Amino acid sequence: MRNDTASIAIFTSSVLMKISSMAPLRSDINNLLTIKISCKGVDWQVSSVAQICNQLSESFISGIERLFIRDSESTSGTTLQDVIDETLWLELFHPFIAVRTLYILSQRMESYVVSALRRRSTEVLPALDELCLKEYQASGPAPGSPFGIARQGSAHTVAIHRL
């Protein structure tokens, strides 16, 4: 069994997606796919990656167990008003049926992603066990929050961690 990982990095004028694999009992990482899309606007970037992921074969993307989402420091001064549309995040997460751990390595994206997951928590990322946030805050998701309750209602609990 492989340990597949996807990483999505959002930059000011592009988005980079990498899918890699590490065989058990080995320390080397095999990059399976790297895609760079030149476009501006986080909404366009998330939508573009979502379209690509939804077109990849199910056997290729369905084995991904860890998903990382981050932005570059150069985009930290820009606004994310155009990412409020939760359907973009849901569309992006839809093909990742085996993801057990989701890492949001961007404080400014946390609220958008968590909000999308709260609304449709069992429809996307059905195998999700851990949500790792860069800036876990008391006002953010916590055990017993609507996100946690929705998963618990489906007999599936998601642990929320601060990185």
Side-chain angles (χ1 to χ4, degrees), residues 3-11 14-22 29-37 45-46 48-50 52-53 56 60-61 63-72 89 92-93 96 99 101-106 109 125 163:
N3 184 3
D4 291 352
T5 299
S7 174
I8 299 167
I10 297 173
F11 300 95
S14 65
V15 61
L16 180 69
M17 181 178 82
K18 289 184 180 183
I19 298 176
S20 56
S21 179
M22 185 168 48
I29 296 174
N30 181 21
N31 283 327
L32 302 175
L33 176 71
T34 301
I35 297 174
K36 181 179 180 181
I37 304 166
Q45 293 168 331
V46 171
S48 298
V49 172
I52 290 170
C53 290
L56 291 173
F60 183 73
I61 206 161
I64 294 171
E65 294 185 358
R66 295 183 304 159
L67 176 60
F68 294 81
I69 298 177
R70 66 180 180 91
D71 62 355
S72 73
W89 294 108
L92 173 63
F93 294 145
F96 293 98
V99 166
T101 308
L102 174 62
Y103 298 86
I104 307 299
L105 307 176
S106 166
M109 289 187 191
L125 304 174
L163 298 173

